[in-house]
Amino acid sequence: MSKEALFNVLNNHFSFDSLKVLDLFSGTGNISYEFASRGSENITSVDGDFGCVKFIKQVAEEYDFNIAAIKSDVFKFLEKNTNSYDIIFADPPYALDQKVFESLVLLVFKQNLLDNEGMMIIEHSKYTKLDHLPHFSFKKSYGGSIFSFFEINPSEK
């Protein structure tokens, strides 16, 4: 339900076929597949688990999705990356410390990884608060999950 609601929000802002997407802490690739099934053809999935990356590569090949799956620590990837993206989605483990979530947002904007009209979305629990950070735009709650949205020039939604 939360994933469907997320994509309804994104559908109001973007045309999926032209998006350049970065999926951080991608796990088994669920969000990457959702973007690919909606026509996105430039997707990068980053996860630190070899098994997850291998699985994403297999599924991408099986369904002919253009997903580049990269095994890397997310923070190291962000520090070295020079590309920018229309959508940056991150689903870090909910148990991570509040400071880790904050540093993720700050690093993305410090490295200029988000396109001018782009959006960063972080999935987190209700116990993690991100609305005090620079570039925070809005949040949506779905059960125990919250999606916090960040933009270069946030506007009220």
Side-chain angles (χ1 to χ4, degrees), residues 82-85 88 106-115 152:
T82 58
N83 294 317
S84 64
Y85 302 89
I88 298 175
L106 297 173
L107 183 57
V108 163
F109 285 95
K110 176 185 171 212
Q111 297 293 100
N112 296 312
L113 301 179
L114 194 62
D115 286 340
I152 290 177

Side-chain angles (χ1 to χ4, degrees), residues 44-155:
T44 303
S45 299
V46 180
D47 199 275
D49 182 87
F50 175 76
C52 288
V53 171
K54 182 178 177 185
F55 182 77
I56 293 169
K57 287 180 180 181
Q58 290 171 339
V59 171
E61 185 176 327
E62 181 179 340
Y63 290 96
D64 197 29
F65 290 154
N66 187 18
I67 300 173
I70 298 171
K71 184 198 174 304
S72 176
D73 173 84
V74 166
F75 289 93
K76 288 179 182 173
F77 174 84
L78 293 174
E79 287 170 0
K80 294 179 181 177
N81 186 38
T82 58
N83 294 317
S84 64
Y85 302 89
D86 299 299
I87 299 276
I88 298 175
F89 180 85
D91 184 11
Y94 282 15
L96 290 178
D97 187 76
Q98 166 91 21
K99 296 285 184 203
V100 175
F101 282 86
E102 292 174 1
S103 64
L104 182 62
V105 174
L106 297 173
L107 183 57
V108 163
F109 285 95
K110 176 185 171 212
Q111 297 293 100
N112 296 312
L113 301 179
L114 194 62
D115 286 340
N116 283 337
E117 301 299 318
M119 193 174 278
M120 179 180 191
I121 305 109
I122 299 190
E123 183 176 350
H124 57 91
S125 78
K126 63 183 179 181
Y127 302 108
T128 301
K129 308 294 184 208
L130 302 176
D131 51 353
H132 64 283
L133 293 173
H135 303 287
F136 176 82
S137 185
F138 63 101
K139 67 182 174 183
K140 298 280 186 179
S141 300
Y142 303 100
S145 296
I146 295 177
F147 294 108
S148 288
F149 295 79
F150 297 85
E151 298 174 87
I152 290 177
N153 296 306
S155 58

Side-chain angles (χ1 to χ4, degrees), residues 13-28:
H13 293 276
F14 299 99
S15 172
F16 288 102
D17 59 349
S18 63
L19 291 180
K20 188 172 182 182
V21 178
L22 177 60
D23 181 9
L24 303 172
F25 302 96
S26 55
T28 58

